[in-house]
Amino acid sequence: MSVLQTYLRLVGRHASQGGLRRDAAQVAVAERLDGLLGDLGQHRVSLGEYEVARRDYLEELGRQTDRIVAMKLEQRRTGSAFPGFQTMPWEKDDREKKEVSERRLRSEAAVEAQNIVGAPPDKPKAPRSVYLHGHVGVGKTFLMDLFYEKSKEVLGCSAAGGSSVGARRMHFNSAMMELHQHMHRIERAYCDGDKKRLKDPGKLAVMAARRRRVSLHGGHKFGASQDSAFTVSTTLEQASRDLFKLNSARSSHLGLVCFDELQVPDGFTAISIMSMFRVLFQEEAVVISTSNCAPRELNDNAWFNDHYNNFTEILLDRCEVLELNNGVDYRTIGLEGLGEREDQEFRRFYYPLTEKSAALMDEYVREAGTECGAAADDGANDPREINVLFGRTLSIPTGGHRDVARFDFMDLFSKAVGPSDCLAVARSFKVVCIENVPVLSRQKRDQARRFITMVDELYNEGCLLVCTAEAPPGKLFKSDELGESLLDLESLQFEAEALTDAKSRVDSSEVGGVSPDAASQRMGTGGDAKFFANKMTGEEERFAFKRAVSRILEMQGDVYYRRHRKLKIDASTEDVAKREEKMYFGVS
């Protein structure tokens, strides 16, 4: 069944529930994805044929290399003159130098063998990728997930010669955290290797600096403008390959990667995107990306603007850009209003902060614990230690049930918590209860960002969010007193000026000390004016606020509740039909 057929079947089944309806813009995207699905099937066959040709080539190259090595070793044994390969008298009893000499011999023999065998076969060019963008709730993730499920059916069969083609579906925030983990592991391996040889911290720092300098020389220049060099370290490139499991011993190829919610919130992410997409394009993988922004608007902070603009041109060449802008937020279409009425009631969002709201929260926590199959613990609110990244742990009160988190807004979001902490909470609990959520004005911007990140991760993982709050969702990110956006332009200007003058101090002997020098970042031709102008618009933050409100509202409905049941309660017994059903409940 095609993407369009599955889409129409789901529309027909659920239109009566008020959450989905036939949409001309979605139909057009589904038809294009069906065309890509056919091209992906042909690409799988081509990759199989390529794998057979590559295997034959490597076997012949190995045979020719062995023949040349044997011939040269025989010449050396018999004393025949052979420039560059004769063993010197002082080398005869030196085993280490002998091994180096033999490795050099085989390396040079491999070059000669390649001259005889010829160039390796070219990898078949992948079909054109798709970059899907549009406003909040228009169905981008919904359609991408439908395509991903169908693509696994196309790519799951063995290609010619027994080689398979893989597919990966990744939320972009999770992918970035996994990339950090790979970089940390690579840096730790470097550092551990140095520490085995050296004990002096000063020498360790020198070795680390030298290694990174060599790494930069060996890095790639993908996305560089013609008149300036721009290298990305091989550590990041290696981590990108590890992210997509391209360094493991395998006989398969990476055929498809789906990125959900692509965004560029900082300079490291801008460089990482260039590195990841370079690796994917080298592997001739198809990339499906969803984003709130068009490609040219993605880097609105102007990080490394000259180089990123050049990368954008490559992205536009390799991707077909599809805009899904039907003007409908399908997360809230089945709900009455937008949650701004003072008298509107929700099932899992209680406001204002009254005794009644607190009582409703207590009642829901008891019911949620029973539904999750968890017996009440002896000590209510005893914290549960959950693992985060790099050996860190986070202590979260459980509300008397192991699968139900319950904490005060300020207790968590006034601390320095990041996306990795929020993801750990979302993956450790089935229900997350947050009490005393305030109206998030510009003076509480950091707390607002952390709360928005938590909402995003809970939504992505299918958790239930239960809140007691000062205001309804539609008024949560505004201050009636100020009447302004959450964005604080004045403080952003001070931050940008501080960033321009800052110097990152990095201890090279410490694991993971890879922060770039902020003053070396080029913000684009014409200096910092464009950076300030784009940074101060706050368009990405406004998208985030709208997305958070939309998701909070969707979380109140029956559609999301059924999705939660499938992901968190019934996941162990999920079959193909249920998985297709789940696609509908993931509208984004």
Side-chain angles (χ1 to χ4, degrees):
M1 189 178 293
S2 68
V3 176
L4 180 59
Q5 289 172 332
T6 305
Y7 167 81
L8 294 176
R9 179 173 62 82
L10 291 173
V11 169
R13 180 176 301 175
H14 295 286
S16 60
Q17 300 177 15
L20 190 63
R21 66 189 184 194
R22 179 165 178 155
D23 185 294
Q26 291 180 350
V27 168
V29 172
E31 290 175 342
R32 173 63 188 93
L33 293 178
D34 274 336
L36 179 58
L37 200 63
D39 295 338
L40 198 59
Q42 292 297 322
H43 187 53
R44 178 186 66 83
V45 175
S46 299
L47 285 174
E49 295 171 349
Y50 160 77
E51 181 61 28
V52 173
R54 188 178 73 93
R55 187 166 57 244
D56 292 343
Y57 171 84
L58 292 176
E59 289 176 357
E60 179 62 22
L61 183 65
R63 283 194 295 268
Q64 291 294 339
T65 301
D66 292 340
R67 182 182 65 80
I68 294 173
V69 168
M71 179 185 68
K72 293 185 175 182
L73 286 175
E74 178 63 20
Q75 289 175 335
R76 292 172 62 179
R77 188 184 65 81
T78 58
S80 301
F82 200 88
F85 291 101
Q86 293 184 4
T87 303
M88 302 303 294
W90 52 270
E91 287 182 340
K92 290 182 179 179
D93 298 326
D94 191 330
R95 179 177 299 178
E96 182 178 350
K97 290 183 179 178
K98 181 179 179 181
E99 291 176 354
V100 172
S101 177
E102 289 178 351
R103 286 199 300 269
R104 184 177 62 197
L105 171 64
R106 185 161 191 87
S107 176
E108 295 181 4
V111 174
E112 293 187 30
Q114 188 167 5
N115 292 333
I116 296 173
V117 177
D122 293 328
K123 198 167 189 178
K125 190 174 180 62
R128 203 171 182 205
S129 298
V130 168
Y131 185 104
L132 181 60
H133 70 97
H135 289 298
V136 172
V138 296
K140 303 182 296 296
T141 301
F142 168 46
L143 291 168
M144 183 191 74
D145 284 342
L146 286 180
F147 175 81
Y148 177 67
E149 289 299 313
K150 296 304 174 184
S151 69
K152 289 194 293 186
E153 299 173 11
V154 172
L155 300 176
C157 303
S158 293
S163 176
S164 61
V165 180
R168 290 204 68 185
R169 195 271 194 205
M170 314 175 78
H171 187 272
F172 189 69
N173 287 343
S174 300
M176 288 300 300
M177 282 185 277
E178 190 176 338
L179 184 72
H180 276 282
Q181 286 180 297
H182 287 301
M183 291 192 69
H184 183 80
R185 177 183 51 77
I186 294 169
E187 284 290 315
R188 178 174 290 278
Y190 286 147
C191 188
D192 290 345
D194 289 343
K195 285 181 177 179
K196 288 181 180 178
R197 293 178 295 151
L198 301 170
K199 302 300 181 184
D200 185 355
K203 290 183 179 179
L204 283 172
V206 171
M207 289 293 293
R210 183 181 301 168
R211 183 182 67 248
R212 286 174 187 146
R213 197 160 51 242
V214 172
S215 176
L216 285 173
H217 285 302
H220 62 75
K221 297 183 180 181
F222 183 69
S225 56
Q226 295 181 353
D227 57 348
S228 63
F230 181 75
T231 58
V232 174
S233 79
T234 50
T235 299
L236 178 55
E237 184 174 12
Q238 174 80 6
S240 300
R241 299 188 68 84
D242 288 343
L243 176 65
F244 303 116
K245 306 185 187 305
L246 298 175
N247 295 316
S248 58
R250 63 187 177 87
S251 60
S252 62
H253 297 276
L254 184 63
L256 172 69
V257 173
C258 293
F259 273 131
D260 192 22
E261 293 187 10
L262 192 67
Q263 53 186 301
V264 183
D266 52 62
F268 177 78
T269 303
I271 298 175
S272 299
I273 287 177
M274 287 190 275
S275 177
M276 289 188 290
F277 274 79
R278 171 186 179 271
V279 167
L280 293 174
F281 290 156
Q282 280 184 337
E283 286 288 312
E284 295 298 340
V286 174
V287 185
I288 308 294
S289 306
T290 69
S291 178
N292 292 128
C293 306
R296 296 192 187 279
E297 301 169 349
L298 190 62
N299 187 30
D300 70 334
N301 291 323
W303 299 103
F304 306 98
N305 193 60
D306 289 345
H307 311 294
Y308 201 91
N309 284 346
N310 187 265
F311 160 72
T312 302
E313 295 300 324
I314 299 172
L315 188 69
L316 292 173
D317 180 63
R318 296 295 298 261
C319 299
E320 180 178 356
V321 179
L322 303 177
E323 183 178 10
L324 186 56
N325 235 354
N326 46 29
V328 179
D329 184 347
Y330 280 97
R331 293 197 185 101
T332 60
I333 194 173
L335 300 173
E336 249 185 71
L338 292 177
E340 295 190 357
R341 295 206 323 263
E342 295 295 337
D343 58 343
Q344 188 168 351
E345 295 184 357
F346 299 100
R347 295 182 182 179
R348 287 173 286 276
F349 194 97
Y350 311 121
Y351 70 96
L353 296 175
T354 61
E355 292 183 0
K356 179 182 178 181
S357 297
L360 289 172
M361 172 69 83
D362 291 337
E363 181 181 355
Y364 199 94
V365 169
R366 288 193 295 270
E367 294 177 355
T370 303
E371 184 177 11
C372 292
D377 298 332
D378 292 336
N381 293 323
D382 281 352
R384 175 182 165 191
E385 297 289 328
I386 61 175
N387 296 321
V388 192
L389 287 180
F390 310 128
R392 290 178 52 243
T393 60
L394 189 64
S395 181
I396 300 293
T398 60
H401 300 273
R402 177 176 177 80
D403 293 325
V404 181
R406 182 177 184 179
F407 52 86
D408 187 271
F409 180 93
M410 293 302 296
D411 287 346
L412 185 66
F413 298 114
S414 62
K415 302 175 183 176
V417 295
S420 58
D421 301 278
C422 297
L423 181 60
V425 171
R427 289 181 174 176
S428 300
F429 298 96
K430 297 177 181 178
V431 180
V432 175
C433 304
I434 305 176
E435 298 182 286
N436 303 316
V437 180
V439 171
L440 298 167
S441 64
R442 62 179 184 174
Q443 286 84 358
K444 302 174 182 177
R445 189 181 60 191
D446 289 341
Q447 297 169 18
R449 287 171 175 170
R450 294 163 188 156
F451 179 68
I452 289 169
T453 302
M454 180 66 79
V455 171
D456 286 343
E457 296 303 338
L458 294 177
Y459 180 88
N460 295 330
E461 295 295 321
C463 295
L464 283 185
L465 172 63
V466 187
C467 295
T468 60
E470 189 177 343
K475 294 185 177 180
L476 202 57
F477 298 107
K478 294 180 181 178
S479 171
D480 293 334
E481 182 183 31
L482 295 174
E484 296 181 6
S485 165
L486 178 65
L487 186 64
D488 183 353
L489 300 184
E490 183 178 3
S491 64
L492 268 182
Q493 182 178 5
F494 289 140
E495 287 180 11
E497 291 170 351
L499 175 63
T500 304
D501 297 332
K503 294 284 187 179
S504 298
R505 292 178 174 84
V506 179
D507 184 352
S508 299
S509 67
E510 291 296 322
V511 175
V514 292
S515 177
D517 183 347
S520 67
Q521 298 173 358
R522 288 194 61 195
M523 301 304 178
T525 304
D528 299 329
K530 184 176 181 180
F531 167 71
F532 290 143
N534 286 321
K535 181 73 177 174
M536 291 171 65
T537 61
E539 192 62 30
E540 185 63 32
E541 288 199 12
R542 292 190 180 95
F543 270 125
F545 306 153
K546 292 178 182 178
R547 184 176 68 243
V549 172
S550 176
R551 287 180 169 177
I552 290 172
L553 290 172
E554 184 188 354
M555 286 174 166
Q556 309 308 309
D558 292 335
V559 172
Y560 182 84
Y561 180 76
R562 289 196 295 272
R563 177 184 178 228
H564 159 75
R565 291 282 310 181
K566 292 177 183 297
L567 287 175
K568 291 294 187 179
I569 309 299
D570 305 327
S572 59
T573 59
E574 187 181 74
D575 57 19
V576 175
K578 286 184 177 181
R579 191 164 61 247
E580 281 190 356
E581 196 78 7
K582 182 179 67 181
M583 293 301 100
Y584 163 57
F585 303 124
V587 174
S588 177

